[in-house]
Amino acid sequence: HGRVAMFAFVGYIVHANGVHWPWPMQMDGAPFPTSNNPPELWDSISDAAKWQIFSVIAFLEFWSELSTPTNKHYMSGGRPGDYPDFTSGPDGIPHPVPFNFFDPFKWSKNMSEEKKATRLRAEINNGRLAQIGILGFLAEQCTPGSVPLLSGVVPSYSGEVMAPFTTNVLGAPFGLN
C-alpha cells in the first residue's frame, strides 16, 4: 500500500500544479483537462481512460501475486514487498521487458545488507507518510477545515472520491445508476 500511496501522493502534487504531457490525452485528439483539482481531473477523463489505468494496475497486482521459481509469494515463505522480476520465457511474460521495477539498472547488487535494510525502512516510512498525506489531501477537499494545515491550500471538491466511475458499471444491469 505504501508504494501505491507514494504514486498517488506524487500524482496529486503533479496534477495540483497543472503539470501534464504536451501531447493530446486521447487518440481522438482530446487535450488533457486544465483544472488544478486532482479529483475533478479524474472525473473529467473518459471511462475508457480510467479502464486503461485500472487494467495496468490489475496486471501489476496479478503479476505481484505470482510465485515463480525465482520468487516465492509472501504467504508461502517469500518476503513482503518483494516484487517478482519481469522475465521472459516459459516462467515469465511472452515478450522481453528491458527493466524490472526494483533496481532496473542493477545499482544495488553490490550494496551491503545493512544499507539495503536501512533503505527498506526508509521506503516503508515514506509509504506510511504518503498514505497519511494523500488521505489528508482528500479529507480536506471533501470536508473543508478537517485538516487545519491544508485549509485554503487545496480546493474543495463536491464529488465522490470513492466512486471512480461516473456510472455504476456493476449496478447498471440491475438498474442501479
Side-chain angles (χ1 to χ4, degrees):
H1 295 97
R3 290 175 183 159
V4 172
M6 286 188 270
F7 275 115
F9 185 82
V10 170
Y12 186 99
I13 297 293
V14 166
H15 290 100
N17 286 294
V19 177
H20 58 79
W21 300 111
W23 51 79
M25 182 176 72
Q26 297 188 161
M27 297 300 286
D28 64 1
F32 282 91
T34 57
S35 173
N36 287 350
N37 188 334
E40 285 179 4
L41 287 171
W42 176 261
D43 290 345
S44 66
I45 65 173
S46 69
D47 281 352
K50 293 174 186 176
W51 279 112
Q52 184 179 17
I53 292 167
F54 278 122
S55 296
V56 169
I57 294 169
F59 168 75
L60 294 174
E61 282 294 318
F62 165 76
W63 192 259
S64 72
E65 292 294 319
L66 289 179
S67 291
T68 63
T70 58
N71 184 69
K72 282 183 155 182
H73 189 271
Y74 66 90
M75 296 294 285
S76 301
R79 296 182 314 172
D82 190 12
Y83 200 83
D85 289 341
F86 290 120
T87 55
S88 53
D91 294 326
I93 54 179
H95 63 83
V97 175
F99 300 111
N100 287 307
F101 280 147
F102 178 75
D103 197 17
F105 303 110
K106 308 284 187 227
W107 288 340
S108 70
K109 66 181 176 183
N110 296 325
M111 194 181 301
S112 70
E113 291 301 317
E114 181 180 302
K115 191 168 187 174
K116 286 181 185 178
T118 300
R119 288 192 174 181
L120 177 62
R121 280 192 305 277
E123 180 185 12
I124 291 169
N125 288 333
N126 288 338
R128 290 173 179 158
L129 188 59
Q131 290 175 47
I132 293 169
I134 191 64
L135 288 176
F137 280 144
L138 295 176
E140 178 61 32
Q141 282 196 279
C142 293
T143 311
S146 63
V147 183
L149 267 145
L150 295 176
S151 290
V153 176
V154 295
S156 64
Y157 174 66
S158 60
E160 179 55 60
V161 294
M162 300 307 275
F165 295 96
T166 54
T167 56
N168 184 348
V169 293
L170 297 177
F174 306 105
L176 304 172
N177 287 328

